[in-house]
Amino acid sequence: MTFSVLKCPNCGEEYNINRNKYTCDKCGNILDVFHYDMKYETTKFKGVWKYKNMVHPTISEDKIITRGEGDTNLYRSERISKYAGINNIVMKHEGENPTGSFKDRGMTVAVSEAIRLKFNKTLCASTGNTSAAAASYSALAGIESYVMIPGKNVSTNKLFQAVSYGANIVDIEGDFDNAMADVKKTIDKTNDFYVLNSLNPWRIEGQKTIIYEIMEKSKPDFISFPAGNLGNTSAFGKALMDLKSLDIIDYVPKLLAIQAEGAAPFYDYIHGNKDHIEAVKAETIATAIKIGNPVNYKKARRSMEFSNGIVEKVTDDQIMDAKRVIDRSGIGCEPASAASLAGVLKLRESGIIDSGDTVTSILTGHLLKDVSMMPEYKVLKISDIL
Ligand code: F0G
């Protein structure tokens, strides 16, 4: 029989999943969900819960809070292929999820778990997308959400979503890293809240399904994505470990975690071969990944090692340049998402990716998530076209 435990990836200590725990009592590491006797058997559901047996095998169906997230499309575009200099590049659009970002995949699992554990309040820190998803799924579950937001650093559209879904907004002075520190402080003092940041190992389980879907449809050499708090980086490596251990795949694609140059502590950590990540004061136009002290860096390192992956960094200009190409191709994405293409271009130009390689880039958020930077456009008069 398949069953799940919370397990420390560092010291191996295990905890019952009925305990509300995020970190190991013994060594302080962030916990993983570990499924004993896991099976690759898909269900009648679509999207995330199609993979219930690899995500949350034992939760009863009546506890599941879902908006039908996942099962997002892959897009090819000649314009993007030409830009990247790669024939075989596809974009997987996570902006097609119900609240417009990949966060919904983690949130459906974590909020279902909040219900299973009988919580009636959720809490998260956010650069915007997590708060939108947390607010939506908590409302759907009929429980209250509290979101800690560094007001000045969050796009109005994302705040609009959280407010509209009825979240309690806690304004935090400073940036995402201050908000994340306040979440940790809060849960040290009270057990009232269920935390929905990617510190929560169930979020990671839901986000693994992006990789399950990609590997079911194609066999890319590289998978690129923007990296901030490193939840996705952690989830993607774990998903590949699952598939490899069950013999569903016979090779491991290389993960390409792309950071913004002004918010690249993971890049420094991996390339500097350090024991600990060194926090930086983050600065980038891509506010979704404006994160200087990512919580998941150890699990993320495991992902990069397992996939023999690469951490790259790109400038804001490179991000916005790639975004213009994605937008003009008719696909569109928010600024942070475009780092995934900017990183691919940089790695192709440096010869690490070959024009004949197969690449899947993950667009993490919808075009309408951030409309603060209106592209230049020309206004015509009727007389100009008659
Ligand atoms: N792309 C988008 C659009 C995001 O919103 C985020 C993270 C990332 C990429 C980075 O993903 O944290 O897993 O490395 N946004 C979080 C939030 C932090 O609060 O919405 P990651």
Side-chain angles (χ1 to χ4, degrees):
M1 246 291 277
T2 311
F3 72 100
S4 313
V5 295
L6 299 173
K7 185 170 181 168
C8 176
N10 183 44
C11 73
E13 187 72 6
E14 291 185 10
Y15 304 88
N16 191 299
I17 58 168
N18 293 331
R19 292 183 63 188
N20 171 37
K21 290 199 68 61
Y22 313 102
T23 52
C24 179
D25 286 342
K26 277 198 166 164
C27 69
N29 226 75
I30 298 178
L31 298 173
D32 260 338
V33 175
F34 183 81
H35 308 296
Y36 277 98
D37 198 20
M38 182 172 59
K39 293 195 177 63
Y40 188 83
E41 282 168 3
T42 52
T43 68
K44 62 178 192 303
F45 296 104
K46 281 184 87 179
V48 168
W49 294 99
K50 173 179 171 184
Y51 304 100
K52 181 176 185 295
N53 293 326
M54 325 257 288
V55 167
H56 202 330
T58 54
I59 193 168
S60 66
E61 285 181 18
D62 65 323
K63 297 282 188 304
I64 294 178
I65 306 298
T66 177
R67 293 188 57 191
E69 50 295 310
D71 206 14
T72 52
N73 286 302
L74 294 169
Y75 295 95
R76 269 172 209 286
S77 149
E78 218 168 285
R79 190 187 284 258
I80 291 172
S81 284
K82 227 171 165 183
Y83 178 73
I86 298 167
N87 259 340
N88 230 326
I89 180 166
V90 293
M91 307 279 120
K92 183 166 176 68
H93 210 321
E94 287 299 302
E96 294 175 347
N97 280 298
T99 75
S101 84
F102 71 92
K103 303 284 179 181
D104 295 343
R105 292 187 188 254
M107 217 50 84
T108 181
V109 183
V111 172
S112 299
E113 187 61 7
I115 296 303
R116 196 186 69 85
L117 294 172
K118 300 192 168 58
F119 276 87
N120 53 27
K121 284 181 192 163
T122 64
L123 176 67
C124 69
S126 183
T127 58
N129 283 327
T130 297
S131 65
S136 167
Y137 283 77
S138 299
L140 193 64
I143 59 177
E144 270 202 276
S145 63
Y146 288 77
V147 302
M148 294 187 162
I149 286 185
K152 294 182 198 79
N153 289 298
V154 169
S155 104
T156 310
N157 304 42
K158 296 175 185 177
L159 180 61
F160 175 87
Q161 283 185 290
V163 171
S164 302
Y165 293 133
N168 298 284
I169 309 293
V170 186
D171 185 34
I172 302 295
E173 266 305 310
D175 54 20
F176 172 84
D177 300 305
N178 299 105
M180 196 64 235
D182 282 340
V183 164
K184 288 183 188 157
K185 248 186 259 164
T186 308
I187 55 172
D188 279 347
K189 290 202 176 130
T190 162
N191 285 321
D192 286 355
F193 298 97
Y194 190 65
V195 175
L196 296 177
N197 284 104
S198 52
L199 176 72
N200 182 324
W202 293 103
R203 274 270 315 272
I204 304 293
E205 291 308 288
Q207 287 165 217
K208 289 191 313 188
T209 59
I210 301 176
I211 296 296
Y212 297 160
E213 287 177 13
I214 290 173
M215 299 309 289
E216 214 176 276
K217 291 212 168 105
S218 61
K219 288 194 166 213
D221 300 305
F222 297 95
I223 298 175
S224 77
F225 51 90
N229 210 23
L230 307 175
N232 268 343
T233 315
S234 305
F236 295 173
K238 193 164 188 278
L240 291 171
M241 286 182 233
D242 291 347
L243 297 176
K244 191 71 175 46
S245 71
L246 295 171
D247 278 334
I248 305 296
I249 54 175
D250 56 9
Y251 82 106
V252 178
K254 286 184 166 52
L255 295 177
L256 307 176
I258 316 297
Q259 297 216 282
E261 202 166 82
F266 189 54
Y267 176 94
D268 295 339
Y269 168 61
I270 294 291
H271 291 272
N273 226 346
K274 295 178 186 150
D275 264 358
H276 270 85
I277 201 154
E278 276 167 30
V280 300
K281 177 95 186 86
E283 205 42 74
T284 169
I285 203 165
T287 52
I289 51 172
K290 190 175 165 187
I291 296 171
N293 193 15
V295 297
N296 288 301
Y297 73 93
K298 282 191 183 157
K299 286 188 192 176
R301 172 171 219 139
R302 177 180 67 180
S303 293
M304 300 319 288
E305 286 170 356
F306 180 73
S307 74
N308 206 4
I310 298 160
V311 186
E312 186 51 278
K313 58 180 178 181
V314 288
T315 64
D316 281 359
D317 282 349
Q318 288 168 324
I319 290 174
M320 292 313 284
D321 202 49
K323 175 173 153 56
R324 222 165 289 123
V325 174
I326 296 165
D327 292 349
R328 294 296 298 276
S329 72
I331 298 169
C333 66
E334 70 165 287
S337 308
S340 60
L341 178 60
V344 166
L345 175 62
K346 187 169 176 185
L347 291 167
R348 216 265 305 128
E349 284 173 345
S350 64
I352 291 170
I353 302 179
D354 187 78
S355 60
D357 286 333
T358 308
V359 179
T360 299
S361 292
I362 298 167
L363 301 179
T364 44
H366 195 279
L367 175 67
L368 292 175
K369 278 288 193 175
D370 186 347
V371 299
S372 55
M373 285 153 289
M374 180 63 124
E376 272 182 39
Y377 67 110
K378 207 166 124 191
V379 181
L380 302 177
K381 295 205 167 53
I382 292 184
S383 57
D384 294 329
I385 58 171
L386 280 178

